[in-house]
């Protein structure tokens, strides 16, 4: 069966800031092109995960094939709906590599935001044709003329080039589909060359094994053909090949420029890597496609099963999630307090929260996650270097320098909140790089900030100080030396590894006071007094005591001589002293969990 003419194919994605209406616009496109029956249509049709629908955010890119007739010619439009949150920018970068064009969507009531800029720069790096579109023009607060000027200034061209649509009412969607056909370049590629297809996503299906999503660049792939993965050298038979429209539809094959799925029946999740090149085994290509840069984890957290016997199940669950989310990285680790688990790397706090929630919902696991932290580089006085991903790995001895990762942050805010944002960034050890006015009342500020300062609640603080109007985007910017110390928590003079932390010298005291105060409430009272101390090296900076439980030894004395009472009290005191010298403090698992776990923010 002959493949589609590449000139009649358009591959595009929708990029925007979170909540600017990507999924709603995709819904209208599905309706206008008739690929979804009105009976089964629902809002945010392409958001398949329960968490996506609950939170109203897109987490996974979704591909869908749309037929569209423009000026009497029938075209095939391959749409890839992308996430908008900064933590899922890796999903966006993979989607862009599979497209020739991008619809840059901006909310006409809110204007350009930080993630809009970040995604626009990603699209420009990939040399994509960009169609600027203003969404939500039906809102009373919409200012399409004002933001059309901003968009034209940003990407060049005239404000008249900006299309105006309403994802809610469907106004302007037909004109947008026509513009996609007219303004986006058809895919290039050699149909007679050996087959080469780029894997841009994959999912695990319990019954069918690994389902791989590909974009064919050269040649042709057909059902029942034997294919090979160029990086893993694994070879399989193609059991099924097809397009997503928006449910999977089997076809005879895929040609140049087409986007679809492959099923080989393979159950081993490691054999289908995102970014790998698929080729035919009988006539293989020699040069693989460029693929993707590996994402760099920004935030690290330990994930441990509540029940130690769930460790193998957690490993399998992470393997399957890694297939579905290539930005997740993990390696086994053990903790004195929590047993066997995994040290996982995430792109941000929302990413960590979503992975934790998916492990609990999709795989039925009870998970403990430790407080998020970053990787430090410690140089000792003898010149040796150590990478520290966990405070318990901090080396003993004389430290000559500690370096921490820094990020380059872009903050977009209304001009009235400039002072509040500057104050917040200075509190978090930020250094200003510059600021520009995008319009008289909107400002772009650029800072370098230590990553450790923004992984906790920086975004929440930024939102609360700007009444929710500011937006944040950040990129890794290397490492820098900082005045950091390790704070140890001691129980009865013995350090407890699980509670140590690496903090800036200025914040060490407040961390120590907070931690010993929290532990005083969590550790049950013993038969003897238990001192809880926070120390930097051998210097104690904070202390609390858990008071001893005391039996009332004077209960049987009603009246009588005071010396009799004193004798009983002295005897008790001696016993307590002896007990303290030989007694050990047993810390219950609940206390470890309550002190270590990063509580999910109820506001999110």
């Amino acid at each position: 069966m002959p493949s589609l003419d590449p000139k009649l194919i358009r591959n595009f994605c929708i990029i925007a800031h979170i909540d600017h209406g990507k999924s709603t616009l995709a819904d209208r496109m599905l309706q206008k092109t008739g690929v979804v029956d009105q009976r089964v249509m629902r809002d945010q049709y392409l958001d398949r995960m329960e968490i996506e629908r609950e939170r109203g955010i897109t987490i996974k890119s979704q591909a869908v094939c749309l037929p569209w007739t423009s000026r009497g010619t029938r075209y095939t439009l391959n749409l890839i709906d992308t996430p908008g949150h900064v933590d899922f920018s890796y999903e966006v970068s993979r989607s862009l590599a599979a497209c020739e064009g991008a619809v840059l969507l901006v909310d006409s009531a809110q204007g350009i935001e930080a993630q809009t800029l970040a995604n626009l720069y990603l699209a420009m790096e990939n040399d994509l044709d960009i169609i600027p579109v203003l969404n939500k023009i039906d809102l009373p607060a919409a200012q399409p003329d004002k933001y059309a000027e901003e968009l034209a200034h940003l990407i060049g061209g005239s404000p008249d080039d900006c299309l105006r649509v309403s994802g809610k009412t469907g106004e302007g969607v037909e004109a947008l589909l026509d513009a996609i056909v007219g303004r986006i370049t058809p895919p290039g590629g050699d149909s007679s060359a050996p087959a080469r297809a780029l894997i841009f996503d994959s999912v695990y299906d319990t019954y069918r094994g690994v389902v791989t999503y590909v974009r064919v660049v050269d040649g042709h792939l057909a059902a029942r053909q034997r294919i090979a993965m160029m990086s893993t050298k694994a070879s399989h038979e193609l059991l099924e090949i097809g397009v997503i429209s928006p449910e999977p539809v089997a076809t005879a094959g895929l040609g140049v420029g087409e986007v679809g799925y492959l099923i080989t029946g393979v159950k081993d999740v490691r054999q289908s890597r995102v970014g790998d090149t698929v080729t035919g085994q009988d006539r293989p290509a020699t040069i693989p496609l460029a693929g993707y840069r590996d994402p760099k984890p920004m935030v690290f957290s330990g994930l441990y099963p509540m029940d130690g016997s769930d460790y193998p199940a957690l490993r399998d669950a992470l393997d399957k999630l890694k297939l579905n989310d290539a930005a997740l990285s993990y390696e086994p680790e053990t903790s004195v307090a929590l047993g066997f688990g995994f040290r996982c790397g995430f792109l941000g706090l929302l990413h960590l929260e979503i992975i934790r929630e998916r492990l609990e919902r999709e795989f039925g696991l009870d998970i403990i996650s430790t407080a998020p932290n970053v990787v430090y580089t410690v140089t000792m006085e003898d010149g040796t270097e150590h990478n520290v991903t966990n405070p318990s790995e901090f080396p003993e001895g004389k430290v000559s320098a500690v370096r921490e990762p820094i990020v380059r942050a872009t903050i977009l805010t209304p001009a009235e909140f400039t002072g509040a944002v500057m104050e917040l960034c200075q509190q978090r050890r930020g250094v200003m790089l510059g600021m520009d006015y995008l319009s008289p009342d909107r400002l772009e500020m650029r800072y370098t900030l230590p990553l450790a300062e923004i992984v906790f609640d920086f975004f929440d603080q930024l939102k609360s100080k700007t009444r929710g109007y500011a937006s944040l985007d950040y990129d890794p910017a290397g490492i820098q030396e900082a005045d950091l110390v390790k704070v140890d928590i001691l129980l009865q003079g013995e350090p407890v590894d699980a509670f140590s932390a690496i903090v800036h010298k200025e914040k060490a005291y407040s961390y120590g006071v907070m931690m010993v105060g929290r532990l005083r409430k969590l550790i049950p009272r013993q038969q003897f007094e238990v001192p809880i101390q926070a120390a930097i090296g051998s210097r104690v900076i904070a202390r609390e005591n858990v008071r001893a439980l005391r039996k009332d030894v004077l209960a049987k004395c009603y009246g009588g001589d005071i010396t009799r009472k004193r004798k009983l009290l002295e005897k008790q005191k001696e016993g307590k002293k002896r007990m303290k010298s030989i007694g050990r403090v047993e810390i219950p698992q609940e206390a470890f969990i309550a002190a270590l776990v990063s509580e999910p923010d109820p506001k999110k």
Side-chain angles (χ1 to χ4, degrees), residues 360-377:
E360 287 174 354
R361 286 191 189 196
E362 295 174 25
F363 300 95
L365 295 166
D366 283 330
I367 300 290
I368 304 166
S369 65
T370 61
N373 57 27
V374 298
V375 180
Y376 299 96
T377 307

Side-chain angles (χ1 to χ4, degrees), residues 411-466:
I411 299 167
L412 266 70
T413 174
E416 65 190 280
F417 301 115
T418 310
V421 173
M422 287 172 123
E423 188 188 351
L424 175 66
C425 292
Q426 278 161 4
Q427 283 171 1
R428 300 302 177 98
R429 302 189 279 132
V431 177
M432 187 175 229
L433 297 174
M435 54 196 270
D436 291 312
Y437 279 88
L438 294 175
S439 64
D441 54 355
R442 278 167 66 73
L443 188 68
E444 178 190 344
M445 303 166 83
R446 293 177 300 283
Y447 272 90
T448 54
L449 285 154
L451 180 58
E453 293 285 350
I454 65 171
V455 295
F456 273 108
D457 60 346
F458 181 81
F459 190 61
D460 289 349
Q461 290 286 323
L462 180 68
K463 283 289 187 192
S464 65
K465 285 182 185 293
T466 59

Side-chain angles (χ1 to χ4, degrees), residues 509-524:
Y509 174 71
S510 56
Y511 174 80
V513 169
M514 180 271 293
M515 204 65 184
V516 295
R518 192 187 280 187
L519 285 172
R520 187 175 70 84
K521 294 176 189 158
L522 294 169
I523 290 176

